[in-house]
Amino acid sequence: MNLQDLIGMPNAASTVAQDVDELYLFILVLSVISFVGIIGFMLWYVVKYRQQSENDKTSPMHHNTQLEIWWSVIPSVLLVVIFIWGFRGWMDMQVPPDDSMEIRVTARQWSWQFDYPRDGIVSDKLVVPANKPIKLIMSASDVIHSFYVPEFRVKKDVLPGRYSVVWFEALEPGTYNVFCTEYCGKDHSRMITRVEVLSDDDYQQWIDSGGGLGDLPMHELGAIFFQRYGCNQCHSIDGAANTGPTFQGLWGRDEQFTDGSSAPVDENYIRESILYPGNKVVKGYQNKMPSFKGKIKDKQLDAIIEYIKSIEQ
Ligand code: HEC
Ligand SMILES: [Cu+2]
């Protein structure tokens, strides 16, 4: 039987979990011993020194210096032990190692969003490699939430208008629950997602494939990438003129180009426009769009195409 089963804790799946549980066990055992000892003596004395006849007098003894010293010194020493042990563990959990991988976390009513800035990935579940310190930089876009993974013994409030940081290192591949532990409104209890801990290879594969498209419908995901890659700075979706053509009415029409040619707007055309904007320059516009080749992943392109299709014509 391992420690976690003994004290009824969930599996210890992060590097700090075992230490947290050992300290917990230490405090638990101390509390049980003190409780049984104190209540035991109390009951014993209640019986032993009960009034047995009318003539019983209270004891003339006022105090016992030696006893009082012992019952002050021993608990004080134990408290100092708990403090030092707890403080070291707490510092460990506060300070992310220098080689941590950073992930941005956004909490909102009532979902979690995980951003991988280096890889341009947005995910609704947290996917991380095992045996690598992960630093989460978290903020909320509405009310206070709290990020909690019981198996990691990691919990931290997520606040609007401010960043909070938490880190962990998962011990092995597996799937764990993420809960919100700050009451945040009607669907608070459903604000649940998962941490997927993968082996290095699986993680790399996940990144290469454009990552956690999650359970969002493709076109909604496309809307996120449309913002994320800054397409919205040059393209409107409501017909308004900008540096680039609006996406309203784009899908399916025949596009005219500056060289006098034309082509139907389909998946391949949009793909080409994003990866090689200079190949076909739309009539009336300048070749001002940067190429997104190598910056945008295939699945993200697919999502953006679905998004363009979904825009009201
Ligand atoms: C700096 C401004 C700018 C940004 C940012 C930008 N574009 Fe463009 N885009 C343009 C301009 C200007 C054109 C028209 C000239 C051309 O065809 O290259 C254009 C053309 C296009 C076209 C062809 C439109 C048509 O009417 O045929 C598509 C599709 C497109 N952009 C998609 C995107 C996507 C998706 C993103 C984000 C990943 C993006 N653009 C980011 C400026 C921009
Ligand atoms: Cu919440």
Side-chain angles (χ1 to χ4, degrees), residues 114-279:
F114 303 95
D115 290 62
Y116 298 67
R118 259 189 336 164
D119 303 293
I121 288 173
V122 184
S123 172
D124 60 353
K125 61 183 181 196
L126 177 57
V127 178
V128 297
N131 301 308
K132 170 123 188 90
I134 310 293
K135 174 177 171 185
L136 303 180
I137 302 162
M138 311 188 290
S139 61
S141 52
D142 36 48
V143 299
I144 301 179
H145 302 271
S146 190
F147 177 89
Y148 180 35
V149 182
E151 277 92 347
F152 293 168
R153 313 289 188 269
V154 153
K155 174 153 123 181
K156 189 105 177 193
D157 278 7
V158 185
L159 309 151
R162 175 165 164 176
Y163 299 108
S164 50
V165 168
V166 83
W167 81 274
F168 63 84
E169 179 176 337
L171 293 173
E172 55 187 342
T175 301
Y176 311 99
N177 284 320
V178 176
F179 297 103
C180 177
T181 46
E182 182 68 48
Y183 180 68
C184 59
K186 179 170 77 67
D187 285 338
H188 162 69
S189 61
R190 292 205 214 141
M191 196 169 155
I192 298 173
T193 183
R194 278 158 294 138
V195 195
E196 271 177 29
V197 180
L198 302 178
S199 67
D200 277 352
D201 283 352
D202 288 351
Y203 178 72
Q204 205 46 54
Q205 219 178 359
W206 184 79
I207 291 288
D208 291 343
S209 70
L213 299 192
D215 302 331
L216 278 184
M218 283 281 259
H219 65 274
E220 280 182 29
L221 213 79
I224 295 177
F225 294 131
F226 176 69
Q227 305 247 339
R228 163 155 305 261
Y229 285 108
C231 318
N232 58 337
Q233 288 167 19
C234 299
H235 296 282
S236 77
I237 58 165
D238 59 0
N242 205 332
T243 316
T246 179
F247 285 169
Q248 190 184 48
L250 175 62
W251 185 256
R253 77 169 167 225
D254 265 332
E255 194 62 286
Q256 311 291 321
F257 305 113
T258 41
D259 64 2
S261 64
S262 72
V265 174
D266 57 10
E267 280 90 350
N268 281 319
Y269 170 71
I270 291 177
R271 189 187 164 86
E272 186 183 10
S273 300
I274 296 171
L275 299 183
Y276 309 99
N279 281 7

